[in-house]
Amino acid sequence: MAQMNRRRALQLLAALGTTGLVAGCGSGDDTEEATAGSPIKIGLIAPGSGPNKAIGDEITNGFQLFLSTHGQQLGGHPVTVVPAEEGDTAATGKAAVDRLLKEGVLALTGVVSPTVMTGIRDAVEQARVPLIGSNASPATLQGVVYIWRTSYVLDEPGFALGEHLRQILDPSSRIAIFGAQGQGSQDVVAGLRRGYEQGRRLTEDPIYTPDYPNPGKSAYAGPIRKALARKPDAVFCHYTGAQAVQFIKQLYDEGYRGPIYAPGFLTEGTVLEQLDDGEKGRDRKLIEAHGIETALNYSADLNNTPNRVFASAYRKTFNTSPTTYAMASYDAAQVLDKAIRLVGGDPSPTQLNLALGKIGQIDSPRGSWQFNQPRTPQQKWYLRKVQLDGRLLSNVVINELATLG
């Protein structure tokens, strides 16, 4: 396993042209080797198969990119990343945690599924080994001591968009609300209600569709048809990956020609590539004409120095633009780097957890942020619109929505 990690790191370093930065990995710099701290292990929990594999790959890429551009070290200590398969249930997540704890990891990171995050809570807290989660976490995850998140809480994008829609839509507007069954969609819709229902109410009940891993070409047709019969002025939805692609296509198939609003993962990853059917394509024309706007804590086109460095290195290494998943995992490594450096010497999990509360501001590709008391970022949220960037559809930031957390 360690050999595979080293090979992966060297591939990343070769792409970045920074091979000589690796301390203790054949760099030939005796001074660096003499001053390097003791080796440490970090457990990375991510799905290697199934519908969440693409997000798992992004999370892995973001974390490894930070290491490859920082001498394969965190806080001056040579790092071995120990991967573990997340699966998609509480049981598979707990099995991953148990195995990594036996490996003697200093900290854990990753975790894509909100179900898995909820399911491993007790195991992490009892082990007293810090977990830096790098994907959105459920709003029900409260009162934790050893679990930190570099992404956001799932109700935040709904809240940010709810406030925005309250300002731009007429009070009589009908909003059709869709989401996949599960706690994630319920959190998002709860946030939407809190942001929107100030002096007005959402008149339509949410429609929760089955959580299809790979939905068919008519999976959403019935619920969409039912909602469109009430002639909504806008659609709000919570889907990601293959579900997002099929929902948007079927929404257009059923004749919808209005605006679409959603948390940003609706159009993250490869979704826009799958919807971008060329200059003469129907989906591209409809998106351009009617608009998809999303709320997220990141866009690859943000104009700040940390993002220019990060996005450039990511594109050079992986030949694609970074997503919020990769960015949050890159920041998870950055957070660990700062906290381990604060501890110094030979860090223990408990010392590291205490240091995480003292690291202060993070100069992130998303913009500066810091941990709040519930151990999630206090950060800016951006309104993004799907627009042409050259010849390709892209998420372009058009405004700041709020600072949440």
Side-chain angles (χ1 to χ4, degrees), residues 294-341:
T294 64
L296 202 60
N297 60 345
Y298 177 70
S299 178
D301 70 341
L302 287 174
N303 187 22
N304 61 62
T305 299
N307 189 52
R308 287 193 294 272
V309 172
F310 166 68
S312 174
Y314 196 92
R315 291 185 182 106
K316 185 176 181 181
T317 306
F318 303 108
N319 199 31
T320 188
S321 291
T323 63
T324 188
Y325 313 117
M327 177 278 298
S329 191
Y330 181 89
D331 272 5
Q334 184 175 189
V335 160
L336 285 168
D337 180 65
K338 293 189 73 171
I340 291 169
R341 200 173 300 279

Side-chain angles (χ1 to χ4, degrees), residues 106 128 130 343-344 346-354:
L106 177 66
R128 298 185 178 181
V343 174
D346 189 11
S348 70
T350 354
Q351 290 172 325
L352 177 59
N353 198 66
L354 288 170

Side-chain angles (χ1 to χ4, degrees), residues 155-193:
D155 61 355
E156 291 181 340
F159 180 81
L161 271 177
E163 287 198 318
H164 174 64
L165 295 180
R166 178 167 48 84
Q167 294 168 13
I168 66 169
L169 294 181
D170 187 90
S172 63
S173 297
R174 291 182 179 274
I175 305 174
I177 303 169
F178 294 88
Q181 290 174 350
Q183 189 61 50
S185 290
Q186 293 175 29
D187 285 347
V188 167
V189 172
L192 174 69
R193 288 193 183 281

Side-chain angles (χ1 to χ4, degrees), residues 96-136:
V97 170
D98 290 344
R99 183 172 73 77
L100 291 172
L101 292 176
K102 288 178 182 177
E103 291 268 359
V105 297
L106 177 66
L108 304 163
T109 190
V111 187
V112 170
S113 165
T115 301
V116 171
M117 179 62 86
T118 302
I120 66 177
R121 169 192 168 148
D122 290 346
V124 172
E125 293 289 294
Q126 289 167 14
R128 298 185 178 181
V129 172
L131 164 62
I132 319 298
S134 47
N135 196 28

Side-chain angles (χ1 to χ4, degrees), residues 248 252 257-260 272 275-293 385-394:
I248 293 169
Y252 290 147
R257 296 298 183 265
I260 301 171
L272 290 181
L275 290 171
D276 196 342
D277 39 17
E279 294 181 8
K280 297 182 180 180
R282 181 205 66 170
D283 293 341
R284 174 191 273 220
K285 288 182 178 179
L286 290 172
I287 291 170
E288 287 187 74
H290 302 287
I292 298 178
E293 294 187 2
K385 186 170 185 177
V386 178
Q387 296 179 343
L388 281 179
D389 184 6
R391 295 185 176 182
L392 298 176
L393 291 176
S394 182

